[in-house]
Amino acid sequence: MPIAPATSAPLGETLEALHRDAVARPSAGRVADYIPALATVDASRCGIAVASLEGEVVTVGHAETGFSIQSISKVFSLVLSLQRLSDGLWSRVGMEPSGQPFNSIVQLEWEHGIPRNPFINAGAIVVADTLVSHFSASRPAFLSFLRKLSGNQRLMVNDDVLASESRNGSRNAALAHLMKSFGNIEDKVERVLDHYFFQCSVDMSCADLARSLLFLANRGTQPHSGETICSRRDAHRVNAILSTSGMYDQSGQFAFSVGLPAKSGVGGGIIAIVPGYGVIAAWSPPLNAHGNSTTALWMITRLAGQLGLSIY
Ligand code: GLN
């Protein structure tokens, strides 16, 4: 069902005003520093982009500047894995919200190495394992997928972030080894982590992200190319899990106040899917205690309210 934004103002003006108010707010939150390279980013950066199914991309602020996509990569890796594995994935990773921090380890032992969902780190590491097993070279395959979806052939991995993640990845290594002990990681843990750190370390802008994910707002098909990226059923499933689990242990509050499938990353980006309309991507590095960008969250909440975009 296409959604008509509930405002008569042109989208560009609405976004300009929103961005002006966002940067005028007192700053709140802290830039992620558990991956030291992420702490070097300019905390005052702030951008928002909206891509519509009609092909319009409206950008404001630093919406064309690349930043570390981090956990937003989990959406792309899940879709790429579903292209290869289809239903096979769902015996190895669940579809329930975890209610726990994104890198929590406690639930995983109780639940015999089956992560609650593909958007917490443990789940994304299982998805990474499927990519490593199914592609002869999973990292270039992942990057080509992003380049194709965004139409931006210059997308690159950020080598400093990659090296920093790899050096400081003990908790992710612990998750992977625990799952390996339960038989839920097939490949070598080191190879799986190499892929996982790689996918998190790609730089993309808000405009790149919004354009790339349009297929999820369009039942699986990229509107500009007409290419089917995933089935209508998988688009439904990915959006459903984004709605319940994409914002970690703040997903319930986000559904309550915004009502859109969404995914955040500790680089400060948040994407939100508006089925039948388009994709919103916002970026500002300082994070709240859940690892979600305070200002990107504020901008998306306000925009969704102004335009009446909730799916509920
Ligand atoms: N690369 C980060 C990690 O593994 C991703 C986490 C995130 O963006 N929430 O910790």
Side-chain angles (χ1 to χ4, degrees):
M1 179 188 54
I3 293 175
T7 173
S8 52
L11 186 57
E13 281 175 25
T14 306
L15 291 187
E16 290 284 357
L18 179 73
H19 183 263
R20 226 178 4 255
D21 291 350
V23 293
R25 292 173 74 239
S27 64
R30 284 192 53 209
V31 175
D33 57 6
Y34 76 101
I35 300 167
L38 292 182
T40 62
V41 71
D42 176 355
S44 68
R45 295 278 165 111
C46 178
I48 184 163
V50 176
S52 74
L53 297 186
E54 274 76 50
E56 190 188 20
V57 184
V58 182
T59 57
V60 176
H62 298 104
E64 315 267 357
T65 306
F67 63 90
S68 194
I69 63 172
Q70 292 295 317
S71 281
I72 299 174
S73 67
K74 295 169 181 171
V75 187
F76 298 107
S77 59
L78 173 61
V79 171
L80 192 57
S81 176
L82 289 172
Q83 284 184 350
R84 300 276 151 160
L85 254 84
S86 192
D87 286 356
L89 183 66
W90 301 115
S91 58
R92 297 180 56 192
V93 61
M95 56 202 69
E96 296 297 340
S98 70
Q100 302 290 324
F102 62 83
N103 53 6
S104 169
I105 208 161
V106 286
Q107 216 164 34
L108 200 56
E109 181 167 25
W110 290 114
E111 300 187 353
H112 309 288
I114 308 289
R116 278 282 173 113
N117 68 68
F119 297 140
I120 49 173
N121 285 14
I125 291 169
V126 170
V127 172
D129 181 40
T130 67
L131 297 180
V132 170
S133 303
H134 281 78
F135 287 97
S136 51
S138 65
R139 302 197 294 181
F142 182 77
L143 195 54
S144 322
F145 186 51
L146 295 187
R147 287 177 175 165
K148 181 181 73 173
L149 288 176
S150 63
N152 182 355
Q153 294 304 319
R154 294 188 314 275
L155 291 185
M156 290 295 285
V157 78
N158 181 320
D159 290 321
D160 292 339
V161 173
L162 178 56
S164 190
E165 286 231 36
S166 308
R167 267 197 307 273
N168 296 278
S170 306
R171 184 171 273 267
N172 287 317
L175 291 167
H177 281 288
L178 184 59
M179 291 190 289
K180 181 91 179 165
S181 76
F182 282 107
N184 198 17
I185 294 290
E186 285 172 0
D187 222 292
K188 278 203 164 62
V189 163
E190 292 66 28
R191 273 164 48 89
V192 175
L193 290 174
D194 278 351
H195 177 96
Y196 173 74
F197 294 141
F198 179 91
Q199 70 174 57
C200 291
S201 305
V202 174
D203 278 351
M204 291 173 82
S205 68
C206 291
D208 292 326
L209 285 166
R211 230 182 262 116
S212 301
L213 290 165
L214 281 170
F215 67 96
L216 287 177
N218 195 41
R219 298 175 171 146
T221 299
Q222 277 302 55
H224 40 275
S225 65
E227 188 182 351
T228 296
I229 307 301
C230 67
S231 66
R232 186 174 171 156
R233 187 197 63 172
D234 281 342
H236 156 91
R237 289 178 168 184
V238 173
N239 282 331
I241 306 176
L242 285 172
S243 300
T244 56
S245 311
M247 302 291 286
Y248 308 117
D249 47 340
Q250 202 176 13
S251 298
Q253 190 191 321
F254 189 82
F256 185 88
S257 55
V258 179
L260 293 172
K263 185 76 208 80
S264 60
V266 291
I270 302 179
I271 59 89
I273 311 294
V274 190
Y277 174 62
V279 178
I280 308 167
W283 174 48
S284 161
L287 309 177
N288 65 19
H290 304 281
N292 298 327
S293 163
T294 52
T295 302
L297 189 57
W298 184 85
M299 290 194 287
I300 290 178
T301 305
R302 175 131 156 198
L303 186 65
Q306 275 177 347
L307 302 188
L309 299 177
S310 166
I311 60 169
Y312 299 116

